[in-house]
Coordinates of all heavy atoms in Angstrom, one line a residue:
M172 N 7.3 -17.6 3.1 CA 7.7 -16.9 1.9 C 6.6 -15.8 1.6 O 5.4 -16.0 1.7 CB 7.7 -17.8 0.7 CG 8.1 -17.1 -0.6 SD 7.9 -18.0 -2.2 CE 8.9 -19.5 -1.9
K173 N 7.1 -14.6 1.2 CA 6.2 -13.5 0.9 C 5.7 -13.6 -0.5 O 6.5 -13.9 -1.4 CB 6.9 -12.2 1.1 CG 7.2 -11.9 2.5 CD 7.8 -10.5 2.6 CE 8.1 -10.2 4.0 NZ 8.8 -8.9 4.1
E174 N 4.4 -13.5 -0.7 CA 3.9 -13.5 -2.1 C 4.1 -12.1 -2.7 O 3.8 -11.1 -2.1 CB 2.4 -13.8 -2.1 CG 1.8 -13.9 -3.4 CD 0.3 -14.2 -3.4 OE1 -0.1 -14.8 -2.5 OE2 -0.4 -13.7 -4.3
E175 N 4.8 -12.0 -3.8 CA 5.1 -10.8 -4.5 C 4.4 -10.7 -5.8 O 4.2 -11.7 -6.5 CB 6.6 -10.5 -4.6 CG 7.2 -10.3 -3.2 CD 8.6 -9.8 -3.3 OE1 9.2 -9.6 -4.4 OE2 9.2 -9.5 -2.2
N176 N 4.1 -9.5 -6.3 CA 3.6 -9.3 -7.6 C 4.6 -8.8 -8.5 O 5.8 -8.8 -8.2 CB 2.4 -8.3 -7.5 CG 2.9 -7.0 -6.8 OD1 4.0 -6.5 -7.1 ND2 2.2 -6.5 -5.9
G177 N 4.3 -8.4 -9.7 CA 5.2 -8.0 -10.7 C 6.0 -6.7 -10.4 O 7.0 -6.4 -11.0
H178 N 5.5 -6.0 -9.4 CA 6.2 -4.8 -8.9 C 7.1 -5.0 -7.8 O 7.7 -4.1 -7.2 CB 5.1 -3.7 -8.5 CG 4.3 -3.2 -9.7 ND1 4.7 -2.2 -10.5 CD2 3.2 -3.7 -10.3 CE1 3.9 -1.9 -11.4 NE2 2.9 -2.9 -11.3
G179 N 7.3 -6.2 -7.4 CA 8.2 -6.6 -6.3 C 7.7 -6.2 -4.9 O 8.4 -5.9 -4.0
L180 N 6.3 -6.1 -4.8 CA 5.7 -5.7 -3.5 C 4.9 -6.9 -3.0 O 4.2 -7.5 -3.7 CB 4.8 -4.5 -3.8 CG 5.3 -3.2 -4.3 CD1 4.3 -2.2 -4.5 CD2 6.3 -2.6 -3.3
S181 N 5.0 -7.0 -1.7 CA 4.2 -8.1 -1.0 C 2.7 -7.6 -1.1 O 2.4 -6.5 -1.2 CB 4.7 -8.3 0.4 OG 4.4 -7.1 1.2
A182 N 1.9 -8.6 -0.9 CA 0.4 -8.3 -0.8 C 0.1 -7.3 0.2 O -0.7 -6.4 0.1 CB -0.4 -9.6 -0.6
R183 N 0.8 -7.4 1.4 CA 0.5 -6.4 2.5 C 0.9 -5.0 2.1 O 0.2 -4.1 2.4 CB 1.3 -6.9 3.7 CG 1.1 -6.0 5.0 CD -0.3 -5.8 5.4 NE -0.9 -7.0 5.8 CZ -1.7 -7.2 6.9 NH1 -2.0 -6.1 7.6 NH2 -2.2 -8.3 7.2
K184 N 2.1 -4.9 1.4 CA 2.5 -3.5 1.0 C 1.5 -2.9 0.0 O 1.2 -1.7 0.1 CB 3.9 -3.6 0.4 CG 5.0 -3.8 1.4 CD 6.3 -4.0 0.8 CE 7.4 -4.3 1.9 NZ 8.7 -4.6 1.4
V185 N 1.0 -3.7 -0.9 CA 0.0 -3.3 -1.8 C -1.3 -2.8 -1.0 O -1.8 -1.8 -1.3 CB -0.4 -4.4 -2.8 CG1 -1.6 -4.0 -3.6 CG2 0.8 -4.7 -3.7
Q186 N -1.7 -3.6 0.0 CA -2.8 -3.2 0.8 C -2.6 -1.8 1.5 O -3.5 -1.0 1.6 CB -3.1 -4.2 1.9 CG -3.7 -5.5 1.3 CD -3.8 -6.6 2.4 OE1 -3.2 -6.5 3.5 NE2 -4.7 -7.5 2.2
Y187 N -1.3 -1.6 2.0 CA -1.0 -0.3 2.6 C -1.1 0.8 1.6 O -1.7 1.9 1.9 CB 0.4 -0.3 3.1 CG 0.7 -1.2 4.3 CD1 1.9 -1.3 4.9 CD2 -0.4 -1.8 5.0 CE1 2.2 -2.1 6.0 CE2 -0.1 -2.6 6.1 CZ 1.1 -2.8 6.6 OH 1.4 -3.5 7.7
L188 N -0.6 0.6 0.4 CA -0.7 1.7 -0.7 C -2.1 2.0 -1.0 O -2.5 3.1 -1.1 CB 0.1 1.3 -1.9 CG 1.6 1.2 -1.8 CD1 2.2 0.7 -3.1 CD2 2.2 2.5 -1.5
K189 N -2.9 0.9 -1.2 CA -4.4 1.1 -1.5 C -5.1 1.9 -0.4 O -5.9 2.8 -0.6 CB -5.0 -0.2 -1.8 CG -4.6 -0.8 -3.1 CD -5.0 -2.3 -3.3 CE -6.5 -2.5 -3.2 NZ -6.9 -3.9 -3.4
F190 N -4.8 1.5 0.9 CA -5.4 2.1 2.0 C -5.1 3.6 2.0 O -6.0 4.5 2.2 CB -5.0 1.5 3.3 CG -5.6 2.1 4.6 CD1 -6.9 1.7 5.0 CD2 -4.9 3.0 5.3 CE1 -7.4 2.3 6.1 CE2 -5.4 3.6 6.4 CZ -6.7 3.2 6.8
I191 N -3.8 3.9 1.9 CA -3.4 5.3 1.9 C -4.1 6.1 0.7 O -4.6 7.2 0.9 CB -1.9 5.5 1.8 CG1 -1.2 4.8 3.0 CG2 -1.5 6.9 1.6 CD1 0.3 4.6 2.9
H192 N -4.2 5.5 -0.4 CA -4.8 6.2 -1.6 C -6.3 6.4 -1.3 O -6.8 7.5 -1.6 CB -4.7 5.3 -2.8 CG -5.2 5.9 -4.1 ND1 -6.5 5.8 -4.4 CD2 -4.6 6.7 -5.0 CE1 -6.7 6.5 -5.6 NE2 -5.5 7.0 -5.9
E193 N -7.0 5.4 -0.7 CA -8.4 5.5 -0.4 C -8.7 6.5 0.7 O -9.9 6.9 0.9 CB -9.0 4.1 -0.1 CG -9.0 3.2 -1.3 CD -9.2 1.7 -0.9 OE1 -9.2 1.4 0.3 OE2 -9.3 0.9 -1.9
H194 N -7.7 6.9 1.4 CA -7.9 7.9 2.5 C -7.2 9.3 2.1 O -6.6 9.9 3.0 CB -7.3 7.4 3.8 CG -8.2 6.3 4.4 ND1 -8.1 5.0 3.9 CD2 -9.2 6.4 5.3 CE1 -9.1 4.3 4.5 NE2 -9.7 5.1 5.4
G195 N -7.3 9.6 0.9 CA -6.9 10.9 0.4 C -5.4 11.1 0.1 O -4.9 12.2 -0.1
G196 N -4.7 10.0 0.1 CA -3.2 10.0 -0.2 C -2.3 10.3 1.0 O -1.1 10.3 0.9
Q197 N -2.9 10.6 2.2 CA -2.1 10.8 3.4 C -2.8 10.2 4.6 O -4.0 10.3 4.8 CB -2.0 12.3 3.6 CG -1.3 13.1 2.6 CD -1.1 14.5 3.0 OE1 -1.6 15.0 4.0 NE2 -0.3 15.3 2.2
V198 N -2.0 9.5 5.4 CA -2.5 9.0 6.7 C -1.4 9.0 7.8 O -0.3 9.2 7.5 CB -2.9 7.5 6.5 CG1 -4.1 7.3 5.6 CG2 -1.8 6.6 6.1
K199 N -1.8 8.9 9.0 CA -0.9 8.8 10.1 C -0.5 7.3 10.3 O -1.3 6.4 10.0 CB -1.6 9.3 11.4 CG -1.9 10.8 11.4 CD -2.6 11.2 12.7 CE -2.9 12.6 12.6 NZ -3.6 13.0 13.9
T200 N 0.7 7.1 10.8 CA 1.2 5.8 11.0 C 0.2 5.0 11.9 O 0.0 3.8 11.7 CB 2.6 5.9 11.7 OG1 3.4 6.7 10.9 CG2 3.2 4.5 11.9
G201 N -0.3 5.7 12.9 CA -1.2 5.0 13.9 C -2.5 4.5 13.2 O -3.1 3.5 13.6
E202 N -2.9 5.3 12.2 CA -4.1 4.9 11.4 C -3.9 3.5 10.7 O -4.8 2.7 10.7 CB -4.5 5.9 10.4 CG -5.1 7.2 11.0 CD -5.3 8.2 9.9 OE1 -6.4 8.1 9.2 OE2 -4.5 9.2 9.8
L203 N -2.7 3.4 10.1 CA -2.4 2.2 9.4 C -2.3 1.0 10.4 O -2.9 -0.1 10.2 CB -1.1 2.3 8.7 CG -1.1 2.9 7.3 CD1 0.4 3.1 6.8 CD2 -1.9 2.1 6.3
A204 N -1.6 1.3 11.5 CA -1.5 0.2 12.5 C -2.8 -0.2 13.1 O -3.0 -1.4 13.2 CB -0.6 0.8 13.7
T205 N -3.7 0.7 13.3 CA -5.0 0.3 13.9 C -5.8 -0.4 12.8 O -6.4 -1.5 13.1 CB -5.8 1.6 14.3 OG1 -5.0 2.3 15.3 CG2 -7.2 1.3 14.8
H206 N -5.8 0.1 11.6 CA -6.6 -0.6 10.6 C -6.2 -2.0 10.3 O -7.0 -2.9 10.1 CB -6.6 0.2 9.3 CG -7.4 -0.4 8.2 ND1 -8.8 -0.3 8.1 CD2 -7.0 -1.2 7.1 CE1 -9.2 -1.0 7.1 NE2 -8.2 -1.5 6.4
F207 N -4.8 -2.2 10.2 CA -4.3 -3.5 9.9 C -4.0 -4.4 11.1 O -3.4 -5.5 11.0 CB -3.1 -3.4 9.0 CG -3.4 -2.9 7.6 CD1 -3.3 -1.6 7.3 CD2 -4.0 -3.8 6.7 CE1 -3.6 -1.1 6.0 CE2 -4.3 -3.3 5.4 CZ -4.2 -2.0 5.1
C208 N -4.3 -3.9 12.3 CA -4.1 -4.6 13.6 C -2.6 -5.1 13.7 O -2.4 -6.3 14.0 CB -5.1 -5.8 13.7 SG -6.8 -5.3 13.6
V209 N -1.7 -4.2 13.5 CA -0.3 -4.5 13.7 C 0.3 -3.4 14.6 O -0.2 -2.3 14.7 CB 0.5 -4.6 12.4 CG1 0.0 -5.8 11.5 CG2 0.4 -3.4 11.6
D210 N 1.5 -3.7 15.1 CA 2.2 -2.8 15.9 C 2.8 -1.6 15.0 O 3.1 -1.8 13.9 CB 3.4 -3.5 16.6 CG 4.0 -2.7 17.7 OD1 3.3 -2.4 18.7 OD2 5.1 -2.2 17.6
V211 N 2.9 -0.4 15.6 CA 3.4 0.7 14.9 C 4.8 0.5 14.4 O 5.2 1.0 13.3 CB 3.3 2.0 15.8 CG1 4.0 3.2 15.2 CG2 1.9 2.3 16.2
S212 N 5.6 -0.3 15.2 CA 7.0 -0.5 14.7 C 7.0 -1.4 13.4 O 7.9 -1.1 12.5 CB 7.8 -1.3 15.8 OG 7.2 -2.5 16.1
T213 N 6.0 -2.2 13.3 CA 5.9 -3.0 12.0 C 5.6 -2.1 10.9 O 6.1 -2.2 9.8 CB 4.8 -4.1 12.2 OG1 5.2 -4.9 13.2 CG2 4.7 -4.9 10.9
I214 N 4.6 -1.2 11.1 CA 4.2 -0.2 10.1 C 5.4 0.7 9.7 O 5.7 0.9 8.5 CB 3.1 0.7 10.6 CG1 1.8 -0.1 10.8 CG2 2.8 1.9 9.7 CD1 1.2 -0.6 9.5
S215 N 6.2 1.1 10.7 CA 7.3 2.0 10.5 C 8.4 1.3 9.6 O 8.9 2.0 8.7 CB 8.0 2.4 11.8 OG 7.0 3.2 12.5
K216 N 8.6 0.1 9.8 CA 9.6 -0.7 9.0 C 9.1 -0.7 7.6 O 9.9 -0.5 6.6 CB 9.8 -2.1 9.6 CG 10.8 -2.9 8.8 CD 10.9 -4.3 9.5 CE 11.9 -5.1 8.7 NZ 11.3 -6.2 7.9
T217 N 7.9 -1.1 7.4 CA 7.3 -1.2 6.0 C 7.3 0.2 5.3 O 7.6 0.3 4.1 CB 5.9 -1.8 6.1 OG1 6.0 -3.1 6.8 CG2 5.4 -2.1 4.7
I218 N 6.9 1.2 6.1 CA 6.9 2.6 5.5 C 8.3 3.0 5.0 O 8.4 3.6 3.9 CB 6.3 3.6 6.5 CG1 4.8 3.3 6.8 CG2 6.5 5.0 6.0 CD1 3.9 3.1 5.6
N219 N 9.3 2.7 5.8 CA 10.7 3.0 5.4 C 11.0 2.2 4.1 O 11.7 2.8 3.2 CB 11.6 2.6 6.5 CG 11.5 3.6 7.7 OD1 11.1 4.7 7.5 ND2 11.9 3.1 8.9
E220 N 10.6 1.0 4.0 CA 10.9 0.2 2.8 C 10.2 0.8 1.6 O 10.8 0.9 0.5 CB 10.5 -1.2 3.0 CG 11.3 -2.0 4.0 CD 10.8 -3.4 4.3 OE1 9.7 -3.8 3.7 OE2 11.4 -4.0 5.2
L221 N 8.9 1.2 1.7 CA 8.2 1.8 0.6 C 8.7 3.2 0.3 O 8.7 3.6 -0.9 CB 6.7 1.9 1.0 CG 6.0 0.5 1.0 CD1 4.6 0.7 1.6 CD2 5.9 -0.1 -0.3
T222 N 9.2 3.9 1.3 CA 9.9 5.2 1.0 C 11.1 5.1 0.2 O 11.4 5.8 -0.7 CB 10.1 5.9 2.4 OG1 8.9 6.1 3.1 CG2 10.8 7.3 2.2
E223 N 11.9 4.0 0.6 CA 13.2 3.8 -0.2 C 12.9 3.4 -1.6 O 13.7 3.7 -2.5 CB 14.0 2.6 0.5 CG 14.6 3.0 1.8 CD 15.2 1.9 2.5 OE1 15.3 0.8 2.0 OE2 15.7 2.1 3.7
K224 N 11.7 2.8 -1.9 CA 11.4 2.4 -3.3 C 10.8 3.6 -4.0 O 10.5 3.5 -5.2 CB 10.3 1.3 -3.3 CG 10.9 0.0 -2.9 CD 9.8 -1.1 -3.0 CE 10.3 -2.5 -2.8 NZ 10.8 -3.1 -4.0
G225 N 10.6 4.8 -3.3 CA 10.1 6.0 -3.9 C 8.6 6.0 -4.0 O 8.0 6.8 -4.8
L226 N 7.9 5.2 -3.3 CA 6.4 5.1 -3.4 C 5.7 6.0 -2.3 O 4.6 6.3 -2.5 CB 5.9 3.7 -3.2 CG 6.5 2.7 -4.3 CD1 6.1 1.3 -3.9 CD2 5.9 3.1 -5.6
L227 N 6.5 6.4 -1.3 CA 5.9 7.2 -0.2 C 6.9 8.3 0.1 O 8.1 8.2 -0.1 CB 5.6 6.4 1.1 CG 4.7 5.2 1.0 CD1 4.6 4.5 2.3 CD2 3.3 5.7 0.6
S228 N 6.4 9.3 0.8 CA 7.2 10.3 1.4 C 6.8 10.3 2.9 O 5.6 10.3 3.2 CB 7.1 11.7 0.8 OG 5.8 12.2 0.9
H229 N 7.8 10.4 3.7 CA 7.5 10.3 5.2 C 8.6 11.0 6.0 O 9.8 10.8 5.7 CB 7.3 8.9 5.6 CG 7.0 8.7 7.1 ND1 7.9 8.2 8.0 CD2 5.9 9.0 7.8 CE1 7.4 8.2 9.2 NE2 6.2 8.7 9.1
A230 N 8.2 11.9 6.8 CA 9.1 12.5 7.8 C 8.6 12.2 9.2 O 7.4 12.1 9.4 CB 9.2 14.0 7.5
P231 N 9.5 12.1 10.2 CA 9.0 11.8 11.5 C 8.0 12.8 12.0 O 8.1 14.0 11.7 CB 10.3 11.9 12.3 CG 11.4 11.6 11.4 CD 10.9 12.2 10.1
Y232 N 7.0 12.3 12.7 CA 5.9 13.1 13.2 C 5.0 13.8 12.2 O 4.3 14.8 12.5 CB 6.4 14.1 14.3 CG 7.2 13.4 15.3 CD1 8.6 13.5 15.3 CD2 6.7 12.6 16.3 CE1 9.4 12.9 16.2 CE2 7.5 11.9 17.2 CZ 8.8 12.1 17.2 OH 9.6 11.4 18.1
R233 N 5.1 13.3 11.0 CA 4.2 13.9 9.9 C 3.4 12.7 9.3 O 3.7 11.5 9.5 CB 5.1 14.4 8.8 CG 6.0 15.5 9.2 CD 5.4 16.8 9.0 NE 6.4 17.9 9.3 CZ 6.1 19.0 9.7 NH1 4.8 19.3 9.9 NH2 7.0 19.9 10.0
K234 N 2.4 13.1 8.5 CA 1.6 12.0 7.9 C 2.4 11.4 6.8 O 3.3 12.0 6.2 CB 0.4 12.6 7.3 CG -0.7 13.0 8.3 CD -2.0 13.5 7.6 CE -3.0 13.6 8.6 NZ -4.3 14.0 8.0
I235 N 2.1 10.1 6.5 CA 2.7 9.4 5.4 C 1.9 9.8 4.1 O 0.7 9.9 4.1 CB 2.5 7.9 5.6 CG1 3.1 7.4 6.9 CG2 3.0 7.1 4.4 CD1 2.5 6.1 7.4
A236 N 2.6 10.1 3.1 CA 2.0 10.6 1.8 C 2.5 9.7 0.6 O 3.6 9.4 0.6 CB 2.2 12.0 1.6
L237 N 1.5 9.5 -0.3 CA 1.9 8.8 -1.5 C 2.7 9.7 -2.4 O 2.4 10.9 -2.5 CB 0.7 8.4 -2.3 CG -0.2 7.2 -1.7 CD1 -1.4 7.1 -2.5 CD2 0.6 5.9 -1.7
S238 N 3.8 9.3 -3.0 CA 4.5 10.0 -4.0 C 3.7 9.9 -5.3 O 2.7 9.1 -5.3 CB 5.9 9.5 -4.2 OG 5.9 8.2 -4.7
R239 N 4.2 10.6 -6.3 CA 3.5 10.5 -7.6 C 3.5 9.0 -8.1 O 2.5 8.5 -8.5 CB 4.1 11.4 -8.6 CG 3.4 11.4 -10.0 CD 4.1 12.2 -11.0 NE 5.5 11.9 -11.2 CZ 5.9 10.8 -11.9 NH1 5.1 10.0 -12.5 NH2 7.2 10.6 -12.1
Q240 N 4.7 8.4 -7.9 CA 4.9 7.0 -8.3 C 4.0 6.1 -7.5 O 3.4 5.1 -7.9 CB 6.4 6.6 -8.2 CG 6.6 5.2 -8.6 CD 8.1 4.9 -8.4 OE1 8.9 5.7 -8.1 NE2 8.4 3.6 -8.7
G241 N 3.9 6.4 -6.2 CA 3.1 5.6 -5.3 C 1.6 5.7 -5.6 O 0.9 4.7 -5.5
K242 N 1.2 6.9 -6.0 CA -0.2 7.1 -6.4 C -0.5 6.3 -7.6 O -1.6 5.6 -7.7 CB -0.5 8.6 -6.6 CG -1.9 8.9 -7.0 CD -2.2 10.3 -7.2 CE -3.6 10.5 -7.6 NZ -3.9 11.8 -8.1
E243 N 0.4 6.3 -8.6 CA 0.2 5.6 -9.8 C 0.1 4.1 -9.6 O -0.7 3.4 -10.1 CB 1.3 5.9 -10.8 CG 1.2 7.3 -11.4 CD 2.4 7.7 -12.2 OE1 3.3 6.9 -12.4 OE2 2.5 8.8 -12.7
C244 N 1.0 3.6 -8.7 CA 1.1 2.2 -8.3 C -0.2 1.8 -7.6 O -0.8 0.8 -8.0 CB 2.3 2.0 -7.4 SG 2.7 0.2 -7.1
A245 N -0.7 2.6 -6.7 CA -1.9 2.3 -5.9 C -3.1 2.2 -6.9 O -3.9 1.3 -6.8 CB -2.2 3.3 -4.8
E246 N -3.2 3.2 -7.8 CA -4.3 3.2 -8.8 C -4.2 2.0 -9.7 O -5.3 1.4 -10.0 CB -4.2 4.5 -9.6 CG -4.6 5.7 -8.8 CD -4.4 7.0 -9.5 OE1 -3.8 7.1 -10.6 OE2 -4.9 8.1 -8.9
F247 N -3.0 1.6 -10.1 CA -2.9 0.4 -10.9 C -3.5 -0.8 -10.2 O -4.2 -1.6 -10.8 CB -1.4 0.1 -11.2 CG -1.1 -1.2 -11.8 CD1 -1.4 -1.5 -13.1 CD2 -0.7 -2.3 -11.0 CE1 -1.1 -2.7 -13.7 CE2 -0.4 -3.5 -11.5 CZ -0.6 -3.8 -12.9
F248 N -3.1 -1.0 -8.9 CA -3.6 -2.2 -8.1 C -5.1 -2.1 -7.9 O -5.8 -3.1 -7.9 CB -2.8 -2.3 -6.8 CG -1.4 -2.9 -7.1 CD1 -0.3 -2.1 -6.8 CD2 -1.3 -4.2 -7.6 CE1 1.0 -2.6 -7.1 CE2 0.0 -4.7 -7.8 CZ 1.1 -3.9 -7.6
I249 N -5.6 -0.9 -7.6 CA -7.0 -0.7 -7.4 C -7.8 -1.2 -8.7 O -8.8 -1.9 -8.6 CB -7.4 0.7 -7.0 CG1 -6.9 0.9 -5.6 CG2 -8.9 0.9 -7.1 CD1 -6.9 2.4 -5.2
K250 N -7.3 -0.7 -9.8 CA -8.0 -1.1 -11.1 C -7.8 -2.6 -11.4 O -8.7 -3.2 -11.8 CB -7.4 -0.3 -12.3 CG -7.8 1.2 -12.2 CD -7.1 1.9 -13.3 CE -7.4 3.4 -13.2 NZ -6.6 4.2 -14.2
R251 N -6.6 -3.1 -11.1 CA -6.3 -4.5 -11.4 C -7.2 -5.4 -10.5 O -7.8 -6.4 -11.0 CB -4.9 -4.9 -11.2 CG -4.6 -6.3 -11.5 CD -3.1 -6.6 -11.4 NE -2.9 -7.2 -10.1 CZ -1.8 -7.7 -9.7 NH1 -0.7 -7.6 -10.4 NH2 -1.6 -8.3 -8.5
H252 N -7.4 -5.0 -9.3 CA -8.2 -5.8 -8.4 C -9.7 -5.7 -8.7 O -10.4 -6.6 -8.4 CB -7.9 -5.5 -6.9 CG -6.5 -5.9 -6.5 ND1 -5.9 -5.4 -5.3 CD2 -5.6 -6.7 -7.0 CE1 -4.7 -6.0 -5.2 NE2 -4.5 -6.7 -6.2
A253 N -10.1 -4.6 -9.3 CA -11.5 -4.5 -9.7 C -11.8 -5.3 -10.9 O -12.9 -5.8 -11.1 CB -11.8 -3.0 -10.0
I254 N -10.8 -5.5 -11.8 CA -11.0 -6.3 -13.0 C -10.8 -7.8 -12.8 O -11.5 -8.6 -13.3 CB -10.0 -5.8 -14.1 CG1 -10.3 -4.4 -14.5 CG2 -10.0 -6.7 -15.3 CD1 -9.3 -3.7 -15.4
T255 N -9.8 -8.2 -12.0 CA -9.4 -9.6 -11.8 C -10.6 -10.5 -11.5 O -10.7 -11.6 -12.2 CB -8.3 -9.7 -10.7 OG1 -7.2 -8.9 -11.1 CG2 -7.9 -11.2 -10.6
P256 N -11.5 -10.3 -10.6 CA -12.6 -11.2 -10.3 C -13.4 -11.6 -11.6 O -13.9 -12.7 -11.7 CB -13.4 -10.6 -9.3 CG -12.5 -9.6 -8.6 CD -11.6 -9.1 -9.7
W257 N -13.6 -10.6 -12.4 CA -14.4 -10.8 -13.6 C -13.6 -11.5 -14.7 O -14.2 -12.1 -15.6 CB -14.9 -9.5 -14.1 CG -15.7 -8.8 -13.1 CD1 -15.4 -7.7 -12.4 CD2 -17.0 -9.2 -12.6 NE1 -16.3 -7.4 -11.5 CE2 -17.4 -8.2 -11.6 CE3 -17.9 -10.2 -12.9 CZ2 -18.6 -8.3 -10.9 CZ3 -19.1 -10.2 -12.2 CH2 -19.4 -9.3 -11.2
A258 N -12.3 -11.5 -14.7 CA -11.5 -12.1 -15.7 C -11.3 -13.6 -15.5 O -11.1 -14.3 -16.5 CB -10.1 -11.4 -15.8
W259 N -11.5 -14.1 -14.3 CA -11.3 -15.5 -14.0 C -12.6 -16.2 -14.3 O -13.7 -15.9 -13.8 CB -10.9 -15.7 -12.6 CG -10.7 -17.1 -12.2 CD1 -9.6 -17.8 -12.6 CD2 -11.5 -18.0 -11.5 NE1 -9.7 -19.1 -12.1 CE2 -10.9 -19.2 -11.5 CE3 -12.8 -17.8 -10.9 CZ2 -11.5 -20.3 -10.8 CZ3 -13.3 -18.9 -10.3 CH2 -12.7 -20.1 -10.2
V260 N -12.5 -17.2 -15.1 CA -13.7 -18.1 -15.4 C -13.4 -19.5 -15.1 O -12.4 -20.1 -15.6 CB -14.1 -18.0 -16.9 CG1 -15.3 -18.8 -17.2 CG2 -14.3 -16.5 -17.3
P261 N -14.1 -20.1 -14.2 CA -13.8 -21.5 -13.8 C -14.1 -22.5 -15.0 O -14.9 -22.2 -15.8 CB -14.8 -21.8 -12.7 CG -15.8 -20.8 -12.7 CD -15.2 -19.6 -13.5
S262 N -13.3 -23.5 -15.1 CA -13.4 -24.4 -16.2 C -14.3 -25.6 -15.8 O -14.6 -25.9 -14.7 CB -12.1 -24.9 -16.6 OG -11.3 -25.4 -15.5

């Protein structure tokens, strides 16, 4: 079962968005595949899903780019992940 957050994205998809954001908002498919140690076909499938959700723009043989909505989503998760460790207090 895939773990999803309130935005309907798996943890891996969130990682992809954050990675693209941290690399200037544009990356090549091969860069994602290399960084996450997965096959390019796996990346392509996920990129298509994120493009359908309006979070990325992608054309064949071009870099993957965050859309405005994708940038906002990535920034939300970057901020949330920066805050979360401090918000949890063991009992």
Side-chain angles (χ1 to χ4, degrees):
M172 180 192 305
K173 291 182 180 178
E174 182 180 331
E175 294 194 355
N176 54 44
H178 291 270
L180 299 175
S181 68
R183 180 57 65 137
K184 289 177 183 174
V185 170
Q186 289 175 338
Y187 290 175
L188 291 175
K189 288 170 55 179
F190 179 84
I191 296 167
H192 185 274
E193 291 166 355
H194 287 82
Q197 295 186 357
V198 297
K199 294 180 182 178
T200 306
E202 291 177 74
L203 278 173
T205 300
H206 180 79
F207 290 101
C208 301
V209 296
D210 193 67
V211 174
S212 63
T213 302
I214 294 291
S215 296
K216 179 179 179 251
T217 305
I218 294 311
N219 288 335
E220 292 170 2
L221 291 169
T222 300
E223 289 174 8
K224 287 183 175 271
L226 299 173
L227 299 176
S228 63
H229 180 249
Y232 308 105
R233 303 264 186 212
K234 287 186 173 183
I235 302 158
L237 289 172
S238 66
R239 183 183 56 77
Q240 181 182 357
K242 182 180 179 195
E243 290 172 1
C244 189
E246 289 172 349
F247 168 80
F248 286 113
I249 290 167
K250 288 177 186 173
R251 185 176 98 175
H252 291 167
I254 294 170
T255 302
W257 301 108
W259 182 77
V260 178
S262 49

